[in-house]
Amino acid sequence: MSEAWNLMAKISLGVIGVLILFCVIRLIRGPKVADRIVGANMLTTLVTVAICVLALLLGEGYLADIALIFCLLSFLAVALLSKVCIGIRLKKQADKESGTKGARS
């Protein structure tokens, strides 16, 4: 029974690896900034899942703690990245509106 669990964990790690590769491609080729942010968020989620699977496979409890810390840090990073992108977009929009108002006057 334990060999079946090990095989399933190894197969799931392989599938997660392929999904991580797809997320990296989306992160690089994303046509919009929002696509890149979603790609980064999904990438960190998949890495967290991979760490948890490794914790089960290796039987090391500290890896679950590392996964939790990584998950919290990735949440903060994505929230900060979103805040920065929204700020840049609002600044560009305000500059565009002030430029059109200045041309009318």
Side-chain angles (χ1 to χ4, degrees), residues 13-34:
L13 280 176
V15 170
I16 291 170
V18 171
L19 292 174
I20 286 174
L21 180 67
F22 289 148
C23 286
V24 168
I25 291 170
R26 173 54 58 197
L27 191 63
I28 294 170
R29 295 187 65 211
K32 296 180 182 177
V33 176

Side-chain angles (χ1 to χ4, degrees), residues 39-81:
N41 192 17
M42 191 65 192
L43 178 71
T44 58
T45 302
L46 287 173
V47 169
T48 304
V49 171
I51 292 172
C52 290
V53 171
L54 279 173
L56 288 173
L57 187 63
L58 299 175
E60 299 291 337
Y62 68 90
L63 286 175
D65 296 334
I66 291 172
L68 284 172
I69 292 169
F70 183 76
C71 189
L72 289 171
L73 289 175
S74 68
F75 169 75
L76 290 174
V78 169
L80 181 68
L81 189 60

